[in-house]
Structure formats: C-alpha cells, structure tokens
Amino acid sequence: MASAPTPQDSQPQPQLQSQPERGGERGRERGGVAHRGVVVRSERLSPHMIRVVLGGDGLDRFATRGQTDHYVKLLFPAPGVSYPEPIDVRRIREEFPREQWPTTRTYTVRSWDPEARELALDFVIHGDEGLAGPWAANARPGDVLHFSGPGGGYAPDAAADWHLLAGDESALPAIAAALEQLPADAVAHAFIEVADASEEQKLQAPAGAAITWVHRGDGPVGEALVAAVSGFGFRTGLPHVFVHGEAGFVKELRRLLRVERGLPTDRLSISGYWRLGHDEDGWQSSKRAWNAQVEAEQEPAAQELSAGA
C-alpha cells in the first residue's frame, strides 16, 4: 500500500452499529440482473481521486432512495471470461465455477441525476495498485461497467441538534453527499483526513457547516483524524454522527463516541469501509467477526455509563 494509505478498491459500508450491514435487508447488490453503465466522462478531482460518470439505457432500472451513503457493487469479469447479457449475478454463480465469478468492488454513489440518468462514482487512485482504481484511471467514454445495487442506510437527520461527520478518503464521497443534503440552517462539523492539501476538494455545505481537512502526511492512516475529533469541543444537544473509513480508526472513534461521550447507537452511523492489510475480499470475510469483537470490547462500558446516567 502506498505511503498515503487508502482503501484498496473498497469504499463503503460494514456497520458496527445502527445501520443494516451491506448485503443485509437492503443489499440488492447480492445478486440478480446487474445494471449496465457506459462511461460518459471522467474528471480528475485531485492528484489521487478521479470521478467517473456513467450513463446509458442500462441505468433505466437504477434508483436511489434518499440515503447519502448509497453504494454499488462493481463487477469486474474474471480474466478471459465473458458472461451472457444481461449480466445476472445469480445465474453466474449457478452456472460458472467460482474461479470464473466476477470480482466485486464496493463504491459509494457520489451523486445520481435521475433526469440525466447519470451516476457519478469517485475512485481513489494509486498507480497500478488494485483493480477498480486502475480501471477508473484508464476509463474512456464508451467503456462499459456492470454493477449491482444500490444499497445504503444513512441520511442526515434534518431534525438533529447538530451533525458530526468524520472519515478518510473512502468516506469523502458520502460525507460530501451528506453535507449537500443538510438543511440550510443545519449545524455540522466535518473532519476529513487526506494525504495533504493537494487532496482537498471544494464541497457544498450550508453556512453552519465547518469543514476541517486533516492532513495525514507521513503518519499512520487515521491517527491525525482521531486526534482532531478527540480534541474537538462537543456542542450542546444530541448530534447525528457519521464515521466511516479504515476499520482501525473507526474503532477508536466509536470508543470515543459510544463509551466516552455516551451517545446512543441510534444516533451513530459507524462503518469500517476497509482495513489496513486486507483487500476487500479479505475484509468482507472477516468483517462480521471484527464488528462482534469491537462490540464485545466496548458495549459493556457503554451500557454501564448509560445505566449510571
């Protein structure tokens, strides 16, 4: 992994608390006929992030449901394998040996324009590392990408006293989408960790939203972010919280919010999108056990604090 760690082709959404786990009740990405997107254009957002916009008639069935953390499962064919169209994930799994199944990579929907029928996805790029990143870096108009979904489960509560959002590059698309959806009079504090100032982006947000860009530099992923959020003076009132990104720092921020601050789980959207040392397949296979371990470590203290309140 590069010196400025980012998820290896993975963005979004195993939940430690309060949201359905990806592939759960809302996880339409598990199987069925996939959507067929055609690259309309791409745009370099920063040295290490590219936006690819998909369109075409193959998106006629695609629809979102108001969440700001919508995600899709991109399908990359096994080398040398072609599948009958329309691509049907269930059919592939029934008729093809496992080694010929497409590789999936999870990405947050940055935006969906139902009138233009254009879907924007943001990709972290680290040279030839990974699968989806290099695809995005080389995507040209007319290229085809199949995907399933969307899933998702979070949108900022318009009635919340205030909002706290924190994450790394993998969470940036969802944080940006959430900020755009906040009411004009909302109060929000967003902490976004990126490698350095060159990776910052101009985001749309209400006047009451304070956006803090945390520069990782040569430090471990999440270290500066945890320090920034830990040193932040909490406002009065009950916040609605969105914390997503690398599983290690997400665990630390969950401890801060759930155990030290005593926030109830129904006000927390906390998600380990990826984990250092794991590709998406390895993280997905170990995610449930990781989440269970985190809860076993933190919930007794959180519940004790709640009982004594």
Side-chain angles (χ1 to χ4, degrees), residues 50-206:
I50 289 178
R51 175 168 299 159
V52 177
V53 178
L54 303 174
D57 294 342
L59 301 187
D60 286 349
R61 295 181 297 105
F62 188 83
T64 56
R65 301 179 300 282
Q67 284 90 28
T68 54
D69 69 340
H70 280 301
Y71 62 91
V72 293
K73 296 282 188 178
L74 310 184
L75 305 173
F76 294 95
V81 179
S82 59
Y83 311 109
E85 292 202 30
I87 301 291
D88 187 319
V89 176
R90 291 192 183 94
R91 180 179 175 187
I92 290 173
R93 291 176 177 174
E94 290 171 356
E95 299 180 1
F96 286 73
R98 178 178 288 272
E99 62 270 17
Q100 293 184 4
W101 291 1
T103 299
T104 62
R105 290 294 181 260
T106 310
Y107 276 80
T108 299
V109 172
R110 176 59 182 86
S111 66
W112 165 244
D113 183 338
E115 294 185 2
R117 304 207 69 74
E118 290 188 347
L119 175 70
L121 304 173
D122 293 352
F123 296 78
V124 175
I125 307 296
H126 275 272
D128 295 330
E129 179 181 328
L131 179 62
W135 176 87
N138 293 289
R140 298 294 181 268
D143 290 351
V144 173
L145 181 65
H146 291 89
F147 61 92
S148 54
Y154 163 85
D157 180 3
D161 294 326
W162 59 283
H163 300 265
L164 173 63
L165 306 100
D168 58 15
E169 295 92 335
S170 69
L172 176 51
I175 291 175
L179 289 171
E180 290 176 358
Q181 190 166 304
L182 288 174
D185 61 349
V187 175
H189 296 269
F191 295 85
I192 306 169
E193 182 181 287
V194 294
D196 53 43
S198 70
E199 297 296 334
E200 296 180 12
Q201 298 179 25
K202 185 175 182 179
L203 305 180
Q204 297 181 14

Side-chain angles (χ1 to χ4, degrees), residues 268-280:
L268 303 177
S269 169
I270 298 186
S271 168
Y273 279 168
W274 63 289
R275 186 180 175 192
L276 277 171
H278 295 67
D279 63 12
E280 176 162 343

Side-chain angles (χ1 to χ4, degrees), residues 215-301:
H215 298 159
R216 181 185 308 115
D218 295 326
V221 63
E223 181 178 79
L225 182 65
V226 170
V229 177
S230 298
F232 165 65
F234 268 49
R235 305 177 64 92
T236 57
L238 187 63
H240 194 198
V241 177
F242 181 85
V243 174
H244 291 215
E246 196 280 321
F249 80 69
V250 167
K251 175 182 177 180
E252 294 308 309
L253 289 180
R254 184 188 190 279
R255 184 189 307 278
L256 169 70
L257 298 166
R258 180 77 180 112
V259 179
E260 297 182 23
R261 293 288 181 177
L263 297 180
T265 58
D266 63 0
R267 307 311 292 164
L268 303 177
S269 169
I270 298 186
S271 168
Y273 279 168
W274 63 289
R275 186 180 175 192
L276 277 171
H278 295 67
D279 63 12
E280 176 162 343
D281 299 323
W283 170 234
Q284 293 294 325
S285 65
S286 61
K287 174 182 60 181
R288 188 178 298 275
W290 169 271
N291 290 349
Q293 179 182 345
V294 170
E295 292 189 10
E297 292 175 2
Q298 297 181 1
E299 280 306 297

